[in-house]
Structures are given as C-alpha cells and as structure tokens.
Amino acid sequence: MRASMPAFRFSLTCRALILLACVCLPCLLSSLVFGSEPIVTLLQSEAGRLKDLFETDQPGATRQLTELKKRLTADTAQDDRRAVLEALVYMSINSGQNEAAQKFNGELAESGIRYHDEFASALAANYQARMLQAEGKFAEAKIEVERALQIANRLNDRKLTYRVNLMAANINGNIGDFKAALNYQLAAMSTLDGDDTETRSERVTAMYMIGNLYLDLKNPQLALEYNAKARALAVSLNEPRTVAALALSRGAAYADMKNQSEAGKAYAEGLTLARKVADHRQEAMALQGLAELALDQERYATCSDYAQQAKTLSAGLSIDAMTANAGIILGLCQIGNGATKRGDDEIANGLDFLRKSGAKPDLEAALGVVAAMYTKTGLYRDAVKALQDQRDLTSELFQADRDREAAELQANFDASERQKQITILEQKNLLQNEEIKVKNLQRALGALTIFVVVALAFTLVRNKEKLRRQAMRQNLDKSKFMADAAHDLRQPLHAIGNLLEAAKHAIARDDTAKSRELIDLTQSATDAMRLSFASVLEVSRLESGLVAADYSSFDLIEMINELCTMLAPLAAERGVQLRVWFRKGRRVVVDSDRHLLGRVLSNLLMNAIKYADQSKGKGQYVIIGAVVLPNRCRIDIVDNGIGIPEAEQGKVFNPFYQIHNPERDRSKGLGLGLSIVRSILHLLMDHRIDMRSTEGIGTRFSIALPRLETPEDVQVQQHASDEAGTEDLSGLYVLLVEDDVLVRKSTEALFREYGILYESVTSLEDLTRRLPALERMPDLVLTDFSLPAHRSAIDVVQVVSAEFEREIPTIVLTGESDNFDAARKAMYADILYKPVNPSTLLNEIRRLCLKE
C-alpha cells in the first residue's frame, strides 16, 4: 500500500492545486486584455467598465454590453470594435454561453481579417483554443494557440505574449505534456520585466505554476525552489491567499519526497491561512492533504476526521471532484478502522463519480490504492476486482493516447485546410473592398469613372509586367549562377586531367619524385572541385526549400569556442589573432538550429580571416563576441581587415561575387560563403544579420537571434565534436553496398590503403545471396541510398539486421537533395551527402566502430 500512495496523492492533490490556479486564470487574463496603457476612447472605456461589472453582476453587464455592440457601425474604429467583441467573448465563455461565445469570437476573427488587425486575430485564436480545450479537443486547441503565439511574437506585444503563453501552458498541462507546459510557462515569465505591483503579482503566479509543473514532472526539489521564491514575493506583497496556496503545493512536494514531517507542517500552515482568509476551497484541500498523510502513517481515526471535514466542505462548495476524492480517502480510512461496509460505500461512490466524470487518470491511480488497501485488510476478491478494473483502464488510456496522436495528425491537416480557407477569405475580402471602392468612385465622380477604371487597368497591367520582369530576372540570376558554377567546376576538372596525364607520363619514366608531386597537385585540384561542388549543392538545396531548420536549445558560448578552436590553425597560418569577447564561464542559451547557425558563423569567421589586411602585420585581428539583450542576443564578428567599399556592400551576398579576388584564387574562397549565410538566415525564424564596413578599416557582421532563460533545470543540448584521426582502422570488416562501378572501386582502393577488410556487393539481391557466406559479422555497413530495382538503404538495413538479429552501425552515402530525417529514423543510420571527403568518411567509420 505504501508503494502506491504517492501516485494517488499526486493525482488527487496536485491536480487540485493546478485546478485552483486555473480557476483564478480567467481573472488574471481579463486584466491583460487592454493592458496598462491609458484608455483613449469612450467605447473602450465602457467595455472595460462592463468587464469589471461582470464580476459582480453578470446579467446586467452582459445586457449593457450587448446594447453597446449595437452602436458599432462600419465607421467604428477597429480598436473600439475589437474591445467590445473581445469583452463579449470573455463574458460569454465565463457565463457558460458557448454558442454565443463562438458567434462573437467568429466576429472578432472576421474583423481581424477584414481590417488587417493581427491583434484581434491573436485574441480570437487564443479564445478559440480555450473553447476547444473545454470541449476536450486538445490537438486543435494546440494548433490555435500556436497560431496566436506566432502573431503575438510578431507584434512584439509583451502582455499578449504573456497571455497566450499561459494558455499554451494550460492546454499542454491538461493533456499531460508537462515538459511543454513548463517551457511555455517559463516563456510567459520571461516577459515579466517590470517591478510594479501588478507585474510582481503576476511573477508570483508564474513561479507558483512553474513549481506545480515541476511537481507534475516528478521533480519536487525544483518545485520547492520555485515555491520558496514565490512565497517570499507573495509575503512582501501581503497576499495571504496566495501564501496559503503555496503552502499546499509545498506540502504535496514534501509528501512526494517522503518527508512527512515537513509535509504535515506545510499542510497545517495552509489550513491556518485558508481559515484566516475564509477560503473554504483551500481549507478543504489542506484537510485532504492531512488526511492522506494520516492514512500513510496508518493513523486511521485522525485520517477519518480530516477526510470527513474535507468532504463536508467540498460538498458545501459543490465541487464534486474534490468531494469524490475526499470520499475515497475517507473510505480507505474507515476500512483501516475496521468499518469495511461504510468504507466500501464511500469508495464505491467516489469511484463511480470519477467514472462518470471521465477523470480516467485519477480513477486509475485510485483503483491501485484501493486494491492495496483491500489486500492489506484481507479483502482479496475485492482487491482482484479493483486490479482488473485498473488494468482495463490502463489499456484504455494507452489506446486513448494513440487515438489522441492520430487526432493531432488529423487536426494538423484540418488546420492546414482551414488556413487555406482563411487565405481565400482574405483575398475575397480584398476583392470585395476593391469593388466597393470602385462603386463609390462611380457614384461620386460620374464621368471620371472611365478614367479611374483605365488607371486601375493600367496598374494591373503594370503589376503583371513587373512580375514578368521579376520572373525573367530570377531566371537570368539562375542562369548566371549555373554558368558561374559550371566555370568553377570546369577549372579544377581541367587541371585534374592535365595533372593525371603528366603523372602517367612521369610514372612511365619511373620518376617517383615527380609522380608524387603531380599526384599531390591532383589531390589539391580534387579537393578544390569537391569544395566547389559541395558549395554549389548547398546553395541549391537552401534556395530550393529542401532544407528544414531543426531548432533546439544550446549554449552559444560553447559553440563559439568550438568554432574558434577549429579555425585557430587557419588564423595562425595567416598571422591573424582570433579572439573571443564574453565573460568567462558565462552561458548564453539560444533557440536555433545548431548546425545551420554554426555554418553561418564559420563562413563569416573564415571570410574575416581570409580577407585580413596583410599590411597590418601582427596587428591583424578577428574578434567574435556575444551581447546579451532582453529575450535576445547579438553575435558580433569584427575585423580590421581590408573592408568593403560602400558601392559594393549591396552585392557581397550574391553568389560567386568577390571584390578582392579578380584572379579567382581559391585560397580566398569561391564567393559563395555570404550567399550561403543569407540563404540559411532566411530559413531561421527571427534571425537577422546586419553589416557595417569601411574600406581600409574593417568590417562588422552582427547576427541577432532569440535567447532563452537559463535556469539550472533547462536541459541544454550538448554537442560533442567528432574524433579526428584515422588510425587503428586496420582489421575492421566493412560491408560495402554500391552499384556505381567507379565509386565502388575507389572506395575499395581507399579501404585497402588503410587495411580495412571489406565485402563488396552491387545490389540488394547480391547482398541477400552473399550474406549467409560472410566470414564474420561486419563491424559496419557502408551503402548508397538509391540501389537498383527501386531498392534503397532502408532495405539494406532491414536485411542485415534480420540476418544478424541486431542493428549494425551503418553509414548511408547519398547524392539526393531531399531531407533524410524520416529515412534516418527508419534506418538508425548516419547520413553523409556526396561528395564526401575521404578523411571525413574514415573519421566517421572510426567514430562508429571504435567508440568507447
């Protein structure tokens, strides 16, 4: 029984605490509608007054607001229309008039579209999420609240962003995704940057909710830390009701930590404060917590007394869920006292209510505790029945989770269709507005109508011609890009042909030294061609939209240090001092794609190093620093290099454009670095780049991006660099699957040079035939993605895994331009895009096969 009690306590007590916060949430949200800015119109002022009146006189406030709505006309300012409609939605929701709420919210959303009012659109989406949540349509609610959050972030409105984040946290908490709820709640708290009484009170509420979410995440220690901060602030604000709620939350945390002494003190404090402020809801919750502690300690008489008081208070407040929970605890205590019949009746009534109310997680937890008590008291038949019911309910909840995931997928599809309809509606409204304007012109100007129509037609023709010229310019840009790319690829290819012919002749003369020299030059030309091809391919993939950003939270300072370590040899070779500028030991957690952002910073740093001013000798430097701003950070890369002439600064982001490299020296790059930077930053949301440069003095690139708060609990993605070196490869056994003859033979030659044993096959059929005859299980599988007969690397992985009854480390080489995230999950493989540098391939083989 003792092993089961914590789950039951968590289910019945902590959920009640969160319910308490949600009950207070509408009042909190209502204070955020108009913000703290002065009311500038009579209609907005009247709408605000009626919302205050609604707290004491719901029918009167609703009636007056309905009359106020009748005063809205086509000429009413959108700010006034939004205020009145929003107030009507708020009142309808909180008075249980769901149909009216849907009607008014539809009008609010329509006004947002018609008058291009994104604030109204965000409010409507947020209210729609709240109503969908009330209907149990959580997948659709999540989509709506995310849409509201995107608009709020775009508007950069602090109070609106705070409000929508609270709703997102509430929705995710209700479906059990407490980690996501925590992230939204932390984001909401990050917007509270003032020190006025209202903001400090909001901060108390936010920390209280964060503490409860950590309790849901089974981390009572962090829950207590946030609880202590919130309590100190609530005491300073003289908010005894909040202090009482915090005491109850603290009691639940200590109970989860098995610290019954501290839990009892916290519940007792909450009980005293609740009685002092006459808050019967919190009083009932404190009594229930004390009853559970007494039940845990087998003090059944005390437990029965507390549980009976909690049940009586809850019933008086008409809170059926709390009444049922208290009844179950009372029944357990009575069974412990020997009053089995009375206890059975109480438990049966409580469980019956949980079944009818649909509180299945609570019911599942309660059945487990009831079964434990029946077992303890020798009621084995009843215990078996409770365990069977719990098992059936567990299966049902598992299936419900599966159904919810399917519903989320369907909701995402429906939301996409809905967005299309919204776009069509916006276009129709625009056309309708244009038609109205034309009709008004016809009536007002009479004879001038023809002139106006001709002018509009001319405008349309001019716009069409403008679009045609733009399309032609884009085609010319693409043609120029391909021509420049072909030129840069032909040059090293031509050089390779000449060098190989010369090497062949030197070998025929037995001139070993000259042969080695020519082969080294051939390798350099090959590397240049690989670099050109990889850069062209990267630009093509970025511009075509085939690359998707994979956002995560990571330490920016750690990544900058890694880049500086990697580029230090290049800087030293060119006599450039590479410095970093930020406080030692500092962490700056950002929300970005680590790989793509690293590519941006690497390109900018290499450009700064390559275009250093050699005339400055040892005084050449490149500095990279991070500046922390509210909710954002800025990365500055500053150099004292040759600088960029003002007339050229608008062109430096164009492909193959280089100012100081007329001879096309490849040691200074290909002119694609800044083009790649621009394309990547177009993919990353809320990332911006600025450039300042003075010829002869130097250049500064600044990148602004979102920053996250960094409490100890935020899990920052750790990044480990790949191991370098290709030693210790001799004796490894690799299964090579490659249908291209040239690629296969060159790979075999590479393996032979490094002592790697291999088995080569050309197709899946060939692999299936030869697998049983392999001399031993391979250390690694190296396969092309696309294979003959419409087969792929996915088939290779499945066949090899089935043969050896385990997953073999796999590297997939591909020349495709698709996003292979789905394929990677299906294969559990590393994916490298052709062309692959041989040292990169060998290092990857070493990492997979020789890792500790």
Side-chain angles (χ1 to χ4, degrees), residues 562-586:
E562 289 176 4
L563 287 174
C564 290
T565 301
M566 180 181 70
L567 295 175
L570 176 64
E573 177 186 337
R574 295 174 180 257
V576 177
Q577 300 178 51
L578 184 57
R579 309 174 190 166
V580 293
W581 184 76
F582 41 76
R583 193 169 69 237
K584 186 176 181 181
R586 180 161 198 173

Side-chain angles (χ1 to χ4, degrees), residues 614-689:
Q614 299 295 320
S615 66
K616 295 177 182 176
K618 295 183 179 180
Q620 303 173 82
Y621 64 79
V622 175
I623 300 174
I624 179 169
V627 180
V628 176
L629 306 169
N631 300 322
R632 299 182 65 74
C633 75
R634 190 182 75 237
I635 308 167
D636 291 329
I637 297 176
V638 183
D639 66 69
N640 65 342
I642 56 181
I644 303 170
E646 186 175 354
E648 307 288 342
Q649 290 180 12
K651 305 174 185 177
V652 294
F653 289 97
N654 294 338
F656 297 104
Y657 190 83
Q658 291 180 295
I659 302 170
H660 302 288
N661 192 15
E663 68 278 9
R664 301 297 290 168
D665 179 3
R666 282 178 174 77
S667 67
K668 295 182 179 179
L670 303 171
L672 288 175
L674 291 181
S675 177
I676 291 171
V677 166
R678 180 191 62 181
S679 299
I680 289 176
L681 290 176
H682 283 169
L683 286 175
L684 297 174
M685 292 189 302
D686 209 16
H687 288 52
R688 188 183 71 251
I689 185 169

Side-chain angles (χ1 to χ4, degrees), residues 818-833:
D818 296 328
N819 188 329
F820 276 85
D821 286 343
R824 184 182 286 107
K825 292 175 183 177
M827 297 182 292
Y828 304 98
D830 283 17
I831 295 175
L832 299 178
Y833 290 93

